[in-house]
Amino acid sequence: MIRTHYSTQVTSEMNGTSVTICGWAHEIRDLGGITFLVVRDREGLVQVTLFKKTIDKNVLEVVRNLSRESVVAVTGTVKKEAKAPNGYELVPTQVTVLGKADSPLPMDTTGKVDADLDTRLDARFMDMRRPRTQAIFRIRHLMLKSIREFLDQDGFIEITTPKVVATATEGGTALFPITYFEREAFLNQSPQLFKQLMMSGGLDRVFEIGPIFRAEEHDTRKHLNEATSIDIEASYLDNEDVMVILENLVKHVYSTVAEKGTKYLEMLGVVITVPKTPFRRITYDEAITIARDNGEKIEWGDDLSTESEHSIGKTIGEHYFITDWPTKIKPFYAMPYEDKPEICRAFDMMHPRMELSSGAQREHSYELLKQRISDKGLNPDGFEFYLKAFRYGMPPHSGWGVGAERLLMTMLGIENIREVVLFPRDRKRLSP
RNA sequence: GUCCGGAUAGUGUAGCGGCCUAUCAUGAGGGCCUGUCGAGCCCCCGACCCGGGUUCAAAUCCCGGUCCGGACGCCA
C-alpha cells in the first residue's frame, strides 16, 4: 500500500512524523524561493511546501515539472505551521508521479471556471474530482445506506430481481427491446411483478434498490431512461401502512444526511430541513379541486399535468400524499375499493417539485387480477408466470417504489436529475 | 415529438453586418518573486459548429443540418 494517510487524517499534532499522501496535483504555485504544491485526495487538500534552499534538487525538479491533475505520491514530514491551511503542511522527502496528466485539461477542477453540465458529463471522470460533484455522490451513498439500514431494521429483506425479462411488466411505458439469444427480450421497467411474487414466496417483506429502464422519449430535467428505483413490498399491510413506512423512511433519510453529511452539504451550500411526519394526505378529488382553484383545466379521471402538479405542490408547500386515484389511470395491480371500484387504494408521494413515489395496496384475488389485466387491454397469457402465484395462496400485500434520483435531487435542491447520476442515460446520451 | 432560446480558444464568456488581424477571465508555454492559499507582475499561445444563400462586405442576416439549454408532451 502506497498511501499511509488520507489528507484529513493528518493533523498538526503529528508534527515531525513521516506520512505518504496520494492524490492529484490540484494546484502548483511556484513563488521562486518557495513552491507550494496542493495535493487533493478523496477527503480534502494537503499543502506540500518546498523551500528552494533546503529541498532535495530532484524533488524540486519533479514538482516543477508536474502538470496539474497528475497523480502523485508525496512522502514528507508533517510540519506544524500556523501560516499553512489547516495549521500544518508537508515538507516532502519524495514525490513520485504515479500518473501523468496531459494538458490542457478537459475542464477546470478548482472551481475558478464553471463548465456546462454537458461538458462535465463528457468528462465525468474529471468532473468527479471537483469536491462539489463528489459531495453529491457521497450524499447519494449516505442516502442509500440509510435506506438499507432503515428497511433492514423494519424487517425487510433485500432481494435482486431480473432486469432482462420476457414481457412488458405493466403496460403503459415503452420498453427497450434486446436480443436474448434467438429470442426477443426487454429491459425491465420495474421490479413490480417479481417483488409481488416474493409475497407468495413467503419472504413477507422485501426491498430492492436497482436499475429500471424506460424507453420513453422524454426530454426533461426529471426523467432518465435508466433510473434507480427503491422498491418495497410487504404482506399483511394495507396502503395506509406502507405510506407510514414511506414517510418515515423519507424523514430518516433527511435526518441521516443532515447529521452525517454536514461536510458535503456545506460544500454544496445546502441546508436540509427534515420533513415533519405524518405527511399531509389529500385525495385525488381534493388534488384536482386545488388545481382547478389555481386555474388549471383538469377533468376527473385525467392524470395530473406538470402544471397541475406544480400548482398543487406550491399550494401544499411540503411533502404530501395524493390518495384514492381513479382506478382507470393506475396499473392493473392496484386494488380498487370494494364499495367504490372507480377509485383504488393507490397513492403517490409528492415533493412540491415532482412525484417521488407511487404505491398501492395490490389486488391479490386471482380472478379479479386476471379481469383487470384484460380490462387494461393486456393479454393475461403473457402474465401467466405472475398470475400463477395468485392461485396458490397469495397474502394481501402493499408496496411502493421511489425514484432514488428524484429523492436525492429534491433533497439537495438540484435542478437537473443528470447531476445526481454518475453516467446518465437520456434520449441523447449513451456515452460515457 | 412540439414550442422557445442558443452554439466564439482546453474551459467559461464579450461582440450580433464594415471599427474583428475577435473581448475578458481561466488555462498552456516562458520569465521575475521565500508564505502562497481564486497568489501577484511581465511576455507569449490558443476560437467564430457544419453546409448552402444574401451582400461590395458575414462571427453577426436568411435557409437546412447537427448538437446544447429551457418549457411542455409522453412517462415515474
Side-chain angles (χ1 to χ4, degrees), chain A residues 29-97:
Chain A
R29 282 191 279 271
D30 184 355
L31 275 63
I34 187 169
T35 300
F36 299 103
L37 162 66
V38 179
V39 176
R40 185 193 67 246
D41 65 15
R42 192 179 86 178
E43 305 299 331
L45 304 170
V46 173
Q47 175 165 288
V48 179
T49 306
L50 298 87
F51 300 95
K52 191 181 177 183
K53 280 183 182 164
T54 53
I55 195 75
D56 182 292
K57 277 196 184 61
N58 297 320
V59 173
L60 186 65
E61 212 41 39
V62 170
V63 172
R64 283 199 166 154
N65 290 323
L66 206 52
S67 55
R68 282 171 66 234
E69 293 302 323
S70 287
V71 178
V72 290
V74 179
T75 302
T77 312
V78 179
K79 184 184 162 204
K80 188 173 176 175
E81 173 57 69
K83 281 180 272 187
N86 307 318
Y88 74 90
E89 60 196 11
L90 228 52
V91 178
T93 49
Q94 194 183 3
V95 176
T96 314
V97 179

